[in-house]
Amino acid sequence: PVMIEAEGLTKQFGSFLAVRDVSFQVPRGQVVAFLGPNGAGKTTTMRLLTGFIAPTRGSARIAGIDVQADRIAAAERLGYLPENGPLYP
């Protein structure tokens, strides 16, 4: 079964297009990472997947739950450690 699904995720801040039409699926039980240069859209994509920000277009689902429809239920099923996470030094 699919655990994480992005479908046509797009995020625009004014005239700046941060993420354009990103689609992918991650099967249950798989550990993944985003790799790429600064400014590639990794952090914005994660913020879209976690419901921290809303997409301009597209959708994200965690364990079949639409992130925009029920952010809390989706977040309960996703482990995410940002680069500057809320951990002690």
Side-chain angles (χ1 to χ4, degrees):
V2 175
M3 185 63 182
I4 303 170
E5 184 173 10
E7 191 173 308
L9 279 180
T10 300
K11 182 62 180 178
Q12 191 162 351
F13 297 98
S15 63
F16 179 69
L17 189 57
V19 173
R20 180 179 54 188
D21 198 28
V22 171
S23 297
F24 62 89
Q25 294 181 343
V26 178
R28 172 180 256 181
Q30 195 169 74
V31 177
V32 297
F34 285 140
L35 299 175
N38 291 343
K42 301 177 301 291
T43 298
T44 301
T45 300
M46 286 306 301
R47 289 177 177 169
L48 292 165
L49 288 173
T50 58
F52 186 71
I53 60 174
T56 304
R57 285 186 304 280
S59 63
R61 284 180 291 286
I62 307 297
I65 299 167
D66 185 300
V67 174
Q68 292 304 304
D70 195 348
R71 177 180 182 233
I72 301 301
E76 289 174 347
R77 291 160 175 83
L78 180 69
Y80 166 51
L81 180 62
E83 180 179 357
N84 297 316
L87 303 175
Y88 295 107

